Amino acid sequence: MAWQWFHRLGSPRWFYEKTSRWLVWFAPLTIALLLIGLIWGLAFAPIDAKQGNSYRIIFIHMPAAVLSLVGYYIMAIAGGVGLIWRMKLPFMVMQAAAPIGAALTILTLATGSLWGYPTWGTFWEWDARNIFMLVLLFLYLGIVVLGKVYPVRDAADKACAILALVGTVNVPIIYKSVDWWYSLHQPASIKFTGASSIHPSMLYPLLLCIVAYYCFYTLSLILYTRREVLVREARTQWVGELVGAPNNGDKSGGERHA
Amino acid sequence: MDDQRGDNWSGVSAVFSRDLRLMWRHRSDLANPLIFFLIAITLLPLGVDPSRQLLGSIAPGMLWIMALLATLLSMDLLFRGDYDDGSLAQFQLAPQPLYLTVLAKVAVYWLTTGLPLALMAPLLAVMLALPEGGYIPLTLSLTLGTAVMSLIGALGAALTVCLRSGGLVLTLIVMPLYLPVLIIGANCVSSAVAGFDYSRELALLGAGLALALIVMPPAIAGALRISSNQ
Amino acid sequence: MPARQPTEPPRLTLDNVTCERDDRVLFCNLQYNCQAGTLLQVVGFNGAGKTTLLHALTGLIAPAEGQILWQQTPIANSARAFRQALLYLGHQAPVKAHLTVAENALWLARLQGASVERLDWALEQVDMLAYRDITCHSLSAGQRRRVALAQLYMSQAPLWVLDEPFTAIDKEGVAKLEALLERHCAHGGIAVLTSHQALRVAGMQTLNLADFQPQAGASYAYG
């Protein structure tokens, strides 16, 4: 009986109804946090002595980088749970996490190169963190593509889960090897401002931004998963009742193939 | 228990010798990756600059990248034939575990693709003016590296076996996983050329192979079960 | 006879089996018990799920609900023992075009742990001994199927699951196969097969999948 809550977690309907209640306060909270964090960081935090205003992109860049890595593990763990306990919902979470993660890596890469231009004089530098983010993007894309090309959704879920799990073994190895590669090839002209102590007036908005990003990630994961739930359960009675019209389900079912 | 082990061995060796024999009957296919390797390396100086200095400096990386692409060339066919004619179902239903059968198939693939590439690489290295001292590490690192890449590639082949045009998806999902092997392998050669000790890189590749031998066969077997039955 | 034959009589039980494909219920609440000596022909219209049922019986796929028991144990829990007792031939013949007839029959037999000494005898039984050392790509579809069917003569497995074994087989071959199936079951074996042909085997049971169709209202997944 102690496991009942766990298996209820696997019920898409339970998830949908629970999150409907959470979203009412969680969505405004996330938007508020995000706005406060970004405005604080972009407008009110003090200017950096060396980099000027361009450093401010860190408030967007750094949390995105953190979340894109964390997101990979969230995706893989969801896939693993789905494989082991044969539950539907974790697979939906996994499939929702892949495009979000891919978007976050793209955001990280884009903001990184925007920062790189005034700082390094180039949009793309073969820097360890750049390469790692790029490879992470490929890993995400692999999962997204694999999930799309499979003819049967059930098999697609399991195949993606296996790929994601193998990826989790590989991600630290990739990280280490890229790091090591960079230490061998590091061009002398580029120096990092290391792990110098960051002033609290910059640190606090950064921390707030990270918290806000975590909330934002959770929010988008919930919204994506809810969409996935509706699409996959389109033919069930409860979704039919929820949408109100009996044929509405088919419409959202067709969306996936469109 | 002994009986089980004997059964395992008989079944696995049946698949192993069957695949070797099939490869032998398809000798012309066997040469394809080698010819690709040769042509790609021939094109390289024509595309860049044939000066020995430049070629020598990019040779370790280029040889490794071309060998990597050559191992990918026929990877998507690894399980395709068995999937199409129902042999794969027989593998799954045979008494011995599927991962042992998979291991036998990957071993044949490596013996007929990776190992010949590793042995041929020194010849092409001469054409690319690889400095002395790089030849032995090149062969050794490619021997280990192609084994790791065969195991990783087999996962991609297993995941895409049911897709008609799986080759492209296979490349997409396998390439990022190849990255550490490429970095370590190419560095093994270039550090040997620079006169450093390269045993650390070889040890890393060996560790990678050990890890891949543990992680990949069950993953490949799981992927085959998922993708082949729908 | 075979040393590995289990001492207790073979028994295959389908316990409340439901199978789905692409969220569509093919058949549901299938209940069936195969005692030793059962020859069971699965029939049904195209797309009724005959092959799916055979795949579920062999453990290639897991049924959506219910379970399949071999000697009272779910087949997922005794995978090795079950697979040793099983011989499965799918609707494709696992025959490689570039191997000879003997090589093809041999690797399959060794994979399944069947007795290899009876190879020539088995090939003779399926009328393929004359082609022993011919590579299979010059053979017809029926001949390839015969190469696969040679497994039946080498196998010691008590449970046979055969998907359309008579495809492309001529009349004499069918008659021989019918006799073989009868003999297998007379020795206490179990055979489950699908076929579009009416078979003349004494004591054959029939399972019609049309009897286990989901009720129109109950299956929301339909459509």
Side-chain angles (χ1 to χ4, degrees), chain A residues 13-35:
Chain A
R13 183 182 181 176
W14 177 86
F15 173 84
Y16 193 89
E17 283 165 1
K18 213 54 174 179
T19 49
S20 294
R21 258 175 285 154
W22 292 347
L23 283 179
V24 177
W25 55 267
F26 189 66
L29 175 78
T30 303
I31 293 165
L33 279 176
L34 212 53
L35 280 177

Side-chain angles (χ1 to χ4, degrees), chain A residues 32-73:
Chain A
L33 279 176
L34 212 53
L35 280 177
I36 296 170
L38 288 181
I39 292 172
W40 188 0
L42 295 182
F44 293 101
I47 198 164
D48 185 76
K50 277 183 227 149
Q51 297 181 24
N53 270 325
S54 65
Y55 94 95
R56 288 184 196 278
I57 208 156
I58 197 177
F59 295 110
I60 301 173
H61 173 79
M62 202 270 223
V66 171
L67 258 299
S68 58
L69 185 56
V70 171
Y72 191 87
Y73 279 85

Side-chain angles (χ1 to χ4, degrees), chain B residues 4 7-8 10-11 13-15 18 21-22 25-26 81-82 84-85 90 92-96 229-230, chain C residues 4 21 58 60-61 80 83-84 88-89 92-96 98-100 103 107-108 110-112:
Chain B
Q4 280 195 6
D7 279 1
N8 281 348
S10 152
S13 71
V15 175
R18 183 204 73 162
R21 188 168 283 145
L22 276 172
R25 301 262 158 91
H26 283 273
D82 290 333
D84 286 339
D85 68 12
Q90 297 296 336
Q92 292 178 42
L93 298 176
Q96 75 271 8
N229 299 306
Q230 36 175 312
Chain C
R4 234 193 278 121
R21 196 177 165 83
T58 56
L60 278 175
I61 58 165
R80 196 185 177 99
R83 286 185 300 201
Q84 269 172 345
Y88 167 74
L89 291 180
Q92 298 144 308
V95 168
K96 294 284 172 192
H98 289 267
L99 295 181
T100 67
E103 284 166 347
W107 79 260
L108 206 50
R110 284 179 64 202
L111 183 74
Q112 288 162 338

Side-chain angles (χ1 to χ4, degrees), chain B residues 3-46:
Chain B
D3 182 37
Q4 280 195 6
R5 222 168 289 154
D7 279 1
N8 281 348
W9 176 243
S10 152
V12 170
S13 71
V15 175
F16 184 79
S17 54
R18 183 204 73 162
D19 270 27
L20 264 188
R21 188 168 283 145
L22 276 172
M23 280 294 186
W24 181 246
R25 301 262 158 91
H26 283 273
R27 280 184 292 276
S28 52
D29 286 3
L30 218 94
N32 282 347
L34 298 178
I35 295 170
F36 171 86
F37 196 24
L38 175 66
I39 292 177
I41 292 294
T42 315
L43 291 180
L44 182 70
L46 305 176

Side-chain angles (χ1 to χ4, degrees), chain B residues 60-230:
Chain B
M62 278 303 159
L63 285 163
W64 251 90
I65 291 171
M66 295 308 170
L68 181 152
L69 293 176
T71 59
L72 264 179
L73 208 57
S74 51
M75 199 80 226
D76 66 317
L77 300 178
L78 181 58
F79 299 111
R80 183 63 50 79
D82 290 333
Y83 173 71
D84 286 339
D85 68 12
S87 302
L88 203 51
Q90 297 296 336
F91 295 160
Q92 292 178 42
L93 298 176
Q96 75 271 8
L98 181 57
Y99 64 81
L100 287 180
T101 315
V102 161
L103 207 53
K105 281 194 70 74
V106 177
V108 173
Y109 185 80
W110 174 74
L111 278 175
T112 53
T113 314
L115 194 59
L117 282 172
L119 295 177
M120 187 173 140
L123 292 179
L124 302 182
V126 176
M127 291 165 65
L128 285 192
L130 182 74
E132 226 173 296
Y135 290 85
I136 293 171
L138 177 68
T139 309
L140 291 178
S141 65
L142 272 177
T143 306
L144 289 171
T146 49
V148 183
M149 291 192 291
S150 300
L151 281 162
I152 296 174
L155 177 74
L159 285 172
T160 56
V161 74
C162 59
L163 309 174
R164 273 303 115 190
S165 54
L168 217 61
V169 184
L170 167 77
T171 313
L172 176 63
I173 62 184
V174 157
M175 282 289 207
L177 304 178
Y178 275 2
L179 191 103
V181 187
L182 173 69
I183 288 177
I184 297 168
N187 263 298
C188 176
V189 184
S190 38
S191 65
V193 167
F196 296 118
D197 180 31
Y198 57 85
S199 58
R200 182 179 64 161
E201 282 85 349
L202 278 187
L204 279 174
L205 282 175
L209 178 57
L211 182 67
L213 276 173
I214 295 167
V215 174
M216 299 314 287
I220 298 166
L224 280 176
R225 283 185 202 287
I226 289 161
S227 62
S228 64
N229 299 306
Q230 36 175 312

